[in-house]
């Protein structure tokens, strides 16, 4: 029974969590590290995840086509007044990045805004509604007249314009700006009739018969590292979908810029109205990545449920309160640490401290590495079972004609003493080359499979057992032993028997060294990862060799464990075991790579 298996797995997962935390991904559940390794679909937001979330006012459009400076200034001033940003004591603006960009853009167009003055003239504020996709305010002018300012998605605002407004031209202009990857907002106003009471009208009464001031285009540049991260996703067999509340053309332009949608990108412009049957059909298309534009939190939940029903392992990003159900439903809910709400972080499995898509890919790679390392130390631990069991089989099958080559205390010294530290060190092994070039493992795949058992028990274990029994019989035959000769206390061969069992014990330990080196890679050659790249493993090997030397040569431990000092020729013999064990497995992996390559 491999006693060290449970603590080794737990510590390997804990180390994976700590490493990910240093890289910007805080994992809230140990088992999620293993789940990350099998993730095959990422559903990501756009703003702040694929992009920098650093909005800048780049373009404006007014109904007159060639706007004058006064028209542009009126447009950006109205957009800036329809915000809720505040100015902190040190002078910095605080609030939504989109609204900060509007206020800064107004200052750049000679229309600076003081948030305190804005609030002093405000009579009502209808905050942004994600379903209506707009917000509005009621301001008091210099002469006491009230004016409604509405800001929001073009399709949401244009539907509220008065008759005769240039709706068609505005839609074409909005599409052109969105195709350039800009977030487009429409700004419209309405003068309330004189004599309107101090009480603000209802929202539906205020937001009607509007006059269009124009459109503003905000640019949020993609994060420079995202394109490489998306490319790594594709190489690893992962599918990346974008689920965003933005316009479809804007989201598609950003997606194409970072490489999402290779070879085919499909854009669902009104994803909140998609039915289940159509969604299932879309998600079954191989090689297609989808932009779900103008999505709602319910859309995220629907997408997560559909992907789970198809047997996919889903990582879903979100930052709002309403994203919590989708984050909880996905296998890996990813909340934003900077822009996310407390509710989203509480419902998630992983929190990104930098809100960066590339960190998700790094976490998936780390999950694959941790999973591989768990398999590596399982191979290492299981490989010792064969050379521990074979001596007892030889003793039993010979009906005692061959004395017991290994004692119970010596087995415990191996399982609890020499084995643990190298196994823990294998949990810190670096990733093999090509770890992100193979497809995600199926969710139904067991950690222990037939190939692992064949490698550990049938290859490394048998090679080790043959070497260990060779050392045992070498010592006995050199002393003149023949099958059936007595080796008990007081017999002439008793000391030779103690030396032989010690050779068996030392042989298993040295075979452990060879197995630990071999287990560092499952596919690649050792030269590809470097012999000295895991100093913890080298320290663990040094410890087990010193521990073995103490049991072999220290008189108090000799009496306790039934060992005897090994002569030089036996030491040289067991010293040859590590390269023989590792070398045989290196040949096996070379033949396997050559076969798969052909």
């Amino acid at each position: 029974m491999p006693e060290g298996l449970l603590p080794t797995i737990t510590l390997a997962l804990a180390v994976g969590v700590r490493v990910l935390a240093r890289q910007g991904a805080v994992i809230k559940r140990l088992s999620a590290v293993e789940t990350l390794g099998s993730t095959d679909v990422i559903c990501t937001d756009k703003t702040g995840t694929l992009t920098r979330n650093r909005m800048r006012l780049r373009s404006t459009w007014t109904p007159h086509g060639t706007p004058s400076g006064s028209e542009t200034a009126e447009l950006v001033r109205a957009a800036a007044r329809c915000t809720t940003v505040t100015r902190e004591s040190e002078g910095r603006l605080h609030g939504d990045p989109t609204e900060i960009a509007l206020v800064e853009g107004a200052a750049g167009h000679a229309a600076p805004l003081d948030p305190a003055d804005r609030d002093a003239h405000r009579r009502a504020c209808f905050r942004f509604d994600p379903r209506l996709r707009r917000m509005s305010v009621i301001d008091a002018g210099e002469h006491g007249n009230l004016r409604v300012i509405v800001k929001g998605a073009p399709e949401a605002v244009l539907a509220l314009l008065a008759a005769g407004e240039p709706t068609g031209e505005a839609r074409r202009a909005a599409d052109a700006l969105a195709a350039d990857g800009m977030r487009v907002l429409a700004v419209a106003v309405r003068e309330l009739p004189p004599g309107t009471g101090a009480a603000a009208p209802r929202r539906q009464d205020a937001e009607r018969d509007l006059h269009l001031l124009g459109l503003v285009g905000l640019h949020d540049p993609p994060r420079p590292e995202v394109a490489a991260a998306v490319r790594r996703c594709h190489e690893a067999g992962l599918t990346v979908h974008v689920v965003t509340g933005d316009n479809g053309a804007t989201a598609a332009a950003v997606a194409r810029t970072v490489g999402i949608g290779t070879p085919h990108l499909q854009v669902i412009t009104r994803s909140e109205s998609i039915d289940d049957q159509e969604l299932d059909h879309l998600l079954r298309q191989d090689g297609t990545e989808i932009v779900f534009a103008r999505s709602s939190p319910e859309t995220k939940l629907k997408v997560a449920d559909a992907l789970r029903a198809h047997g996919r392992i889903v990582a879903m990003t979100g930052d709002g309160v309403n994203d919590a159900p989708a984050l909880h439903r996905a296998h890996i809910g990813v909340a934003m640490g900077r822009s996310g709400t407390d509710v989203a972080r509480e419902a998630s499995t992983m929190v990104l401290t930098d809100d960066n898509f590339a960190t998700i890919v790094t976490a998936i790679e780390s999950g694959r590495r941790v999973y591989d390392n768990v398999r590596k130390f399982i191979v290492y631990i299981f490989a010792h079972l064969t050379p521990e069991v074979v001596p007892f089989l030889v003793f039993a099958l010979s009906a005692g004609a061959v004395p017991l080559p290994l004692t119970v205390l010596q087995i415990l010294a191996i399982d609890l003493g020499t084995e643990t530290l190298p196994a823990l060190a294998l949990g810190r092994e670096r990733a093999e080359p090509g770890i992100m070039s193979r497809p995600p493992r199926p969710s139904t795949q067991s950690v222990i499979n037939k190939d692992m058992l064949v490698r550990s028990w049938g290859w490394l274990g048998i090679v080790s057992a043959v070497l260990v029994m060779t050392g045992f019989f070498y010592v006995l035959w050199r002393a003149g032993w023949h099958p059936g000769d007595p080796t008990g206390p007081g017999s002439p061969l008793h000391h030779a028997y103690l030396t032989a069992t010690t050779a068996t014990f030392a042989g298993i330990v040295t075979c452990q060294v060879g197995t630990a080196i071999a287990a560092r890679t499952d596919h690649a050659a050792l030269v590809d990862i470097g012999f000295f790249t895991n100093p913890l493993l080298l320290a663990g090997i040094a410890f087990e060799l010193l521990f073995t030397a103490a049991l072999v040569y220290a008189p108090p431990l000799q009496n306790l464990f039934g060992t005897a000092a090994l002569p030089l020729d036996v030491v040289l013999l067991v010293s040859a075991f590590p390269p023989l064990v590792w070398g045989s497995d290196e040949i096996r992996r070379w033949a396997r790579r050559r076969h798969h390559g052909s």
Side-chain angles (χ1 to χ4, degrees), residues 1-5 8 377-385 388 411-426 508-509 512 516 537 540-541 543-544 547-548:
M1 184 66 184
E3 297 89 346
L5 187 58
T8 303
F377 61 65
I378 288 177
V379 167
Y380 168 75
I381 291 175
F382 277 20
H384 308 145
L385 301 182
E388 289 179 359
I411 289 180
L412 291 176
I414 293 169
D415 290 348
L416 300 178
T418 64
E419 181 179 83
T420 306
L421 287 184
L424 292 176
L426 285 172
I508 292 178
V509 173
Q512 279 183 329
L537 180 61
I541 291 173
F543 168 79
E544 69 175 334
F547 181 78
T548 302

Side-chain angles (χ1 to χ4, degrees), residues 222-236 257-260 356-358 361-362 365 436:
R223 293 179 181 267
E225 63 273 17
V226 168
V230 171
R231 187 163 56 250
R232 291 171 63 201
C233 285
H234 292 161
E235 292 172 353
T257 300
V258 299
I260 296 175
N356 193 343
F357 176 85
V361 183
T362 301
E365 180 180 6
M436 292 295 281

